[in-house]
Amino acid sequence: MLIAPNDDLTSHAVTLNPPTKENPGGYHRLIGGGVDLGESHHDAIVREVDEELGATIQDLAFLGTVENIFRIDGVLGHEIVFVYAGRLEPRPAATGATLTESDGSIMPVAWRPFDDASEPVPLYPAGAVPLVRALADDREAARPDTSPLPDPAG
């Protein structure tokens, strides 16, 4: 799955998924999908982003692996998720963007703020949230300081 930041590094692209028994307001999910038999997880994220969004990934970097045990409408699920970061090219529109799942369903794409404390819907996989926050912290630390320098003449 991919953490794909916008140009100003304030938000990242996610799918907006419909309500479930556990999440009546819906939920956000990182972009990406499954690994096909015989495929590396690196090749899988590149393929999934191309198939779902018609996009390529710039500056692709592997961040880590998380185990995700979850329920959707009461049904137990379990997945191993390989989490990457990278910039989408082209980037989804700020509003009205969609992606096409492998089953042909169309999913809305939203830009979720990295600072998501006030976000009303959860982000899944939940185990990836610390990676999202760490990436946001790293990107914030890497931003150049644009504040004016003090006048040495005083």
Side-chain angles (χ1 to χ4, degrees):
M1 304 200 95
L2 183 68
I3 303 168
N6 62 357
D7 288 336
D8 64 2
L9 308 176
T10 57
S11 58
H12 59 104
V14 294
T15 58
L16 175 56
N17 295 265
T20 65
K21 179 179 174 182
E22 297 79 11
N23 295 293
Y27 60 96
H28 286 155
R29 187 164 166 83
L30 295 178
I31 291 174
V35 178
D36 289 343
L37 184 62
E39 180 179 47
S40 71
H41 55 84
H42 176 275
D43 290 347
I45 192 62
V46 170
R47 175 187 51 76
E48 287 282 343
V49 166
D50 178 49
E51 288 175 359
E52 294 179 351
L53 288 166
T56 59
I57 308 168
Q58 306 299 313
D59 305 321
L60 184 63
F62 178 66
L63 300 180
T65 306
V66 298
E67 184 174 29
N68 187 30
I69 301 170
F70 58 95
R71 290 190 181 276
I72 294 183
D73 291 327
V75 177
L76 185 62
H78 188 191
E79 62 187 353
I80 304 299
V81 179
F82 302 97
V83 182
Y84 284 84
R87 296 178 297 107
L88 293 172
E89 189 60 47
R91 285 167 188 67
T95 60
T98 61
L99 63 73
T100 304
E101 296 280 7
S102 58
D103 65 2
S105 61
I106 307 294
M107 300 293 296
V109 173
W111 289 96
R112 182 183 181 96
F114 277 111
D115 181 9
D116 64 357
S118 64
E119 192 63 40
V121 297
L123 175 63
Y124 294 123
V129 170
L131 296 174
V132 171
R133 293 210 172 109
L135 182 65
D137 291 345
D138 290 347
R139 290 180 184 277
E140 185 63 33
R143 278 188 202 201
D145 182 4
T146 58
S147 57
L149 294 173
D151 183 355

